[in-house]
Amino acid sequence: MESEKRSNANRDSARGFEVIDEIKSALENECPETVSCADLLALVARDSIVICGGPSWEVNLGRRDAREASLSGSMENIPSPESTLQTIVNMFNLQGLDLTDLVALLGSHTIGNSRCIGFRQRLYNHTGNNDRDQTLNQDYASMLQQGCPISGNDQNLFNLDYVTPTKFDNYYFKNLVNFRGLLSSDEILFTQSSETMEMVKFYAENEEAFFEQFAKSIVKMGNISPLTGTDGEIRRICRRVNHDV
């Protein structure tokens, strides 16, 4: 089974799965075949955000684990760092998520990292003419070039929010207003749509409003076609032999 962990968007980027394994092992020792890996991931996502200073929300439980995964499906349904705004909007709409959900959920990029290969084009060849992305603050771009050269070092990691990289706050939006969004797919929220631009400015000025909408939107996302009842299974081990969840 090839999992979406190996998709272009996640490979060598999504990490920390050994923590999931440890939690799942402890759960199985106390209460075997009761808490699914899907519920565990949903709970860990919530608690990780709370630990980093973000909002809390009630996690709906009762999910079951899928018996199969789709690498190709994840490649098709996870936006790339170079996706256009319309492409991202369409992907979210297909999952029942609207523009407000999109902007709020992308605010999760206030923590986390991206690899050099995910934004190199903005630094050196944005339009195919060996040019730099003009929607990227030039001082910030020069700083990024120090660790992300024109070739090599593809896996070098950079904070999505360079100001408060380990704190869940609204600096993601403040950075976009200052043209310091790391990924093109982030900065376009401020440069390609007046509607999303207004949301970005609003959340940049009102962290409480961002937190409130984020909590609503992530609950909505967590309710996208869950397996329940007798569908799927409850795995005893989240990580497969081939190291895929």
Side-chain angles (χ1 to χ4, degrees):
M1 181 170 63
E2 292 185 290
S3 104
E4 63 185 60
K5 285 168 60 181
R6 299 189 186 280
S7 70
N8 289 339
N10 293 331
R11 190 174 61 248
D12 299 321
S13 180
R15 59 197 63 214
F17 293 102
E18 68 280 358
V19 179
I20 303 297
D21 294 338
E22 292 175 12
I23 298 171
K24 180 62 171 172
S25 178
L27 282 169
E28 288 301 310
N29 287 336
E30 294 294 329
C31 198
E33 297 183 73
T34 301
V35 181
S36 66
C37 297
D39 272 351
L40 175 53
L41 286 167
L43 289 164
V44 167
R46 190 270 313 276
D47 292 350
S48 298
I49 286 173
V50 170
I51 289 171
C52 291
S56 183
W57 60 90
E58 183 175 349
V59 177
N60 295 325
L61 301 175
R63 300 172 185 79
R64 289 169 64 85
D65 300 316
R67 297 181 185 275
E68 58 185 25
S70 174
L71 176 62
S72 61
S74 66
M75 298 276 277
E76 295 168 1
N77 292 306
I78 299 177
S80 80
E82 295 296 329
S83 292
T84 66
L85 180 58
Q86 191 56 56
T87 295
I88 300 172
V89 169
N90 290 343
M91 287 183 173
F92 273 65
N93 285 347
L94 286 172
Q95 303 300 326
L97 301 170
D98 60 26
L99 198 61
T100 300
D101 298 317
L102 186 159
V103 176
L105 290 170
L106 283 181
S108 63
H109 285 182
T110 184
I111 53 178
N113 303 293
S114 175
R115 295 172 292 158
C116 166
I117 196 173
F119 60 87
R120 174 182 284 129
Q121 186 173 352
R122 300 188 73 196
L123 302 176
Y124 301 102
N125 193 29
H126 184 58
T127 64
N129 294 310
N130 299 316
D131 58 337
R132 185 184 285 180
D133 186 349
Q134 294 304 301
T135 68
L136 182 63
N137 178 280
Q138 299 304 291
D139 290 336
Y140 181 47
S142 296
M143 181 183 76
L144 293 172
Q145 286 179 322
Q146 295 177 21
C148 185
I150 195 168
S151 63
N153 295 324
D154 289 358
Q155 308 306 322
N156 282 2
L157 292 175
F158 293 77
N159 295 314
L160 290 167
D161 169 9
Y162 77 102
V163 181
T164 57
T166 60
K167 184 178 180 182
F168 195 99
D169 54 23
N170 65 338
Y171 259 95
Y172 166 81
F173 299 104
K174 293 180 179 181
N175 291 337
L176 298 187
V177 171
N178 291 317
F179 302 101
R180 292 173 182 260
L182 182 63
L183 305 180
S184 173
S185 54
D186 287 327
E187 191 61 54
I188 57 177
L189 294 181
F190 191 68
T191 61
Q192 291 193 4
S193 161
S194 58
E195 190 172 358
T196 57
M197 174 190 283
E198 289 305 312
M199 293 185 203
V200 168
K201 290 194 292 187
F202 177 58
Y203 292 146
E205 296 169 357
N206 192 327
E207 185 176 79
E208 184 178 350
F210 162 50
F211 281 9
E212 181 179 349
Q213 184 57 54
F214 181 85
K216 292 178 181 178
S217 295
I218 200 167
V219 168
K220 187 176 178 181
M221 184 174 69
N223 288 333
I224 297 173
S225 304
L227 296 178
T228 59
T230 58
D231 292 335
E233 63 181 347
I234 295 181
R235 299 184 197 165
R236 299 203 63 172
I237 300 174
C238 294
R239 185 176 295 202
R240 295 296 196 186
V241 174
N242 64 354
H243 303 298
D244 283 338
V245 168

